Amino acid sequence: MLLSVQDLSVSFGGVHALNLSHFTLRDKELRVIIGPNGAGKSTFLDILCGKTKPDSGKVLFNETPVLGKTEVEIANLGIGRKFQKPSVFPSLTVYDNMLLAFKMKKSILASLFFKPTEEIDTRIREVAVKVGLITELKKVAGELSHGQKQWLEIAIVVLQDPKLMLIDEPAAGMSDEETEKTGELLMQLARHHGIIVIEHDMKFVEQIAKELVTVLVRGKLLVEGSFDEIRNDQRVIDSYLGRANVQLENF
Ligand code: ADP
Ligand code: MG
């Protein structure tokens, strides 16, 4: 197992945000997590990348305990996180944003004197092709479309070459065409990385969920299954898909 989670629990002000009995992910698996707003999806990723400290539980990544480690230590173990809101540097070029992915691994002093090697330059261009930004490298990131900013963020995570990528709502605010391209990108990336994607858009989930889908509701694991099993599951329909915040026309 790439990732193995047991009895992971965290409360904020007495309210259980997450109370996850178990969760496992195989190497190079692409898992989609769905669930209503406030279900604890982002909190789960926050714990996995060390941003939030849980009250109790166990997380093993490649057999190594993760809890108690800092965000930097966890990133160095090979867990990369893309947050829900884009956080690229808008005044830097696409290329320089991507270069930062390499600088982040170094100390501040070393990063000041950092010069990209040919190898790094080649790698940046390779990843730029993959995410569809090769013609935009000289553009400042602030001028990218919303979808392109999301792809740049994914590129920055890919450049850190993590074994596990955590991706929170990548398709939010994207056009249908951008959403589909994002789906293709994630499926391509899953050939080399384990990926956990949180997503609301059920058309997008259908596109990328070729393996298991995990449904979280009120911090708990409601059910896990294939996309078809999930969409026909009465508990999922009652507690999630029946809600107004989900686009039902896809069903
Ligand atoms: P989701 O991503 O599934 O929409 P979240 O993980 O963001 O849900 O939130 C789960 C619950 O935990 C919500 O009730 C939210 O208000 C609460 N929560 C999340 N982060 C914090 C925090 N840092 N402080 C207090 N409450 C939080
Ligand atoms: Mg969230």
Coordinates of all heavy atoms in Angstrom, one line a residue, residues 42 84 168-169, ligand 2:
S42 N -11.4 18.4 2.5 CA -10.1 19.2 2.5 C -9.4 19.0 3.8 O -8.1 18.9 3.8 CB -10.5 20.7 2.3 OG -11.0 20.9 1.1
Q84 N -7.0 24.1 -2.9 CA -8.3 24.4 -3.6 C -8.2 25.7 -4.3 O -8.6 25.8 -5.5 CB -9.4 24.5 -2.5 CG -10.8 24.1 -3.1 CD -11.8 23.8 -1.9 OE1 -11.4 23.5 -0.8 NE2 -13.0 24.0 -2.2
D168 N -7.1 19.2 -4.7 CA -8.4 19.6 -4.2 C -9.2 20.4 -5.2 O -8.8 21.5 -5.6 CB -8.2 20.4 -2.9 CG -9.4 20.4 -2.0 OD1 -10.5 20.0 -2.4 OD2 -9.2 20.8 -0.9
E169 N -10.3 19.9 -5.7 CA -11.3 20.5 -6.6 C -10.6 21.2 -7.8 O -10.7 22.4 -8.0 CB -12.1 21.5 -5.8 CG -12.9 20.8 -4.7 CD -14.2 21.6 -4.3 OE1 -14.6 22.4 -5.1 OE2 -14.6 21.3 -3.2
Ligands
MG2 MG -13.0 21.5 0.5

